[in-house]
Amino acid sequence: MSAVASGAPRLPVRLGWGFYDTGVLAWRNVLRILRNPVFLVTEVVVQPVLFTLLFAYIFGGAIHIPGFAYIDFLMPGIFVQTITFGSMNTATGLAEDLEKGLMDRFRSLPIAYWAVPVARVAADLLVDVFGLGLMIAVAYLIGFRFHGGPTQTVEALALVLLWGFAISCFGTLLGAVLRKPTTVQAFGFLAMFPLTFASSTFVPVQTMPAWLRAFSSHSPITAVVDAARHLILNAPGGESSIAGAIAWSIGVLVISIPVAAYSFQRLTR
């Protein structure tokens, strides 16, 4: 007896419906963001613009980068920092859905269990693209410029979004494991802030104390920032940082996707 005849849809049919479920849930997540003006303004608009203006004007006169303006050095770090902080929004949103019992409703519906985390990541990537465009526009108004050609610019933004995809998948893992918004937010403050600031985001790691430089030089944030900075500034000798950024992004994906999928499968049983 065929799979269809026995009542079990074929794999392509199940995948097709799963992608449809993902699209519907992703649109639900986007609408949720659009209907929450406080979150939209503070997290998506104000925070990245505020970081850009504060660090550009506070540190801009004190830090001198040979051959480049500080704003050009700064912006790749701001791009990566904002994308990284966005992963906590992914984790918090999923944790809120779990706490409010939304997963219990999804469990009663004939939807693919993996559609929920994939939809969350897809919606947050759309927000990341919007936020990235906004930051570029604001940075251009205060003097930032891409020093590489169009290809290097696209490669730099693709690296940042690849990291955004990876760290958003990690956010789904955190949301599924920690489950409570307050716990997720506490983890974000204790882990993401030191990891982001103890990197090459705002200053060259060579200016740090030896013990901190040893950590910062091997940070995933430093790898992604240095790779994007190399492409944006058209600086020589950045091939190793590009390879490191890709390796870190793939490594996070390899760990996050199967563990998050397993966690959500358990939640939907």
Side-chain angles (χ1 to χ4, degrees), residues 69-132:
Y70 180 66
I71 185 64
D72 294 334
F73 176 88
L74 172 69
M75 287 315 301
I78 294 291
F79 295 158
V80 177
Q81 180 203 43
T82 304
I83 293 289
T84 302
F85 285 171
S87 67
M88 290 300 99
N89 295 329
T90 304
T92 302
L94 285 171
E96 287 176 350
D97 288 344
L98 290 171
E99 189 176 54
K100 293 176 180 178
L102 190 62
M103 287 305 304
D104 294 331
R105 300 179 187 178
F106 288 154
R107 191 182 296 117
S108 65
L109 298 174
I111 65 174
Y113 72 88
W114 49 266
V116 177
V118 173
R120 173 64 61 176
V121 171
D124 288 337
L125 275 178
L126 288 176
V127 175
D128 288 343
V129 171
F130 173 78
L132 198 58

Side-chain angles (χ1 to χ4, degrees), residues 28-29 34 36 41 44 52 59 69 89-90 107 109 112 118 136 151 171 173-174 177 222 227 231 235 250 257 264:
R28 172 251 178 193
N29 292 332
L34 295 177
N36 187 352
V41 171
V44 181
T52 299
F59 293 157
N89 295 329
T90 304
R107 191 182 296 117
L109 298 174
V118 173
I136 292 172
T151 301
L173 170 59
L174 289 180
V177 172
T222 295
L231 292 167
I250 293 176
I257 290 177
F264 271 90

Side-chain angles (χ1 to χ4, degrees), residues 143-221:
F144 168 73
R145 294 295 183 269
F146 289 96
H147 292 263
T151 301
Q152 288 174 301
T153 299
V154 171
E155 289 174 349
L157 297 180
L159 273 178
V160 173
L161 290 175
L162 174 62
W163 173 250
F165 174 60
I167 201 69
S168 291
C169 289
F170 180 70
T172 65
L173 170 59
L174 289 180
V177 172
L178 299 180
R179 300 191 182 187
K180 291 187 177 296
T182 54
T183 306
V184 170
Q185 291 167 359
F187 178 88
F189 179 79
L190 294 175
M192 292 300 178
F193 267 84
L195 187 64
T196 303
F197 281 86
S199 68
S200 63
T201 300
F202 305 110
V203 298
V205 296
Q206 292 79 9
T207 63
M208 299 178 182
W211 61 270
L212 183 57
R213 184 167 63 248
F215 169 80
S216 300
S217 298
H218 298 88
S219 166
I221 304 297

Side-chain angles (χ1 to χ4, degrees), residues 220-256:
I221 304 297
T222 295
V224 180
V225 170
D226 286 352
R229 187 172 284 146
H230 159 71
L231 292 167
I232 289 173
L233 299 183
N234 194 23
E239 291 76 11
S240 61
S241 62
I242 294 174
I246 295 173
W248 270 110
S249 298
I250 293 176
V252 172
L253 286 170
V254 167
I255 294 173
S256 300

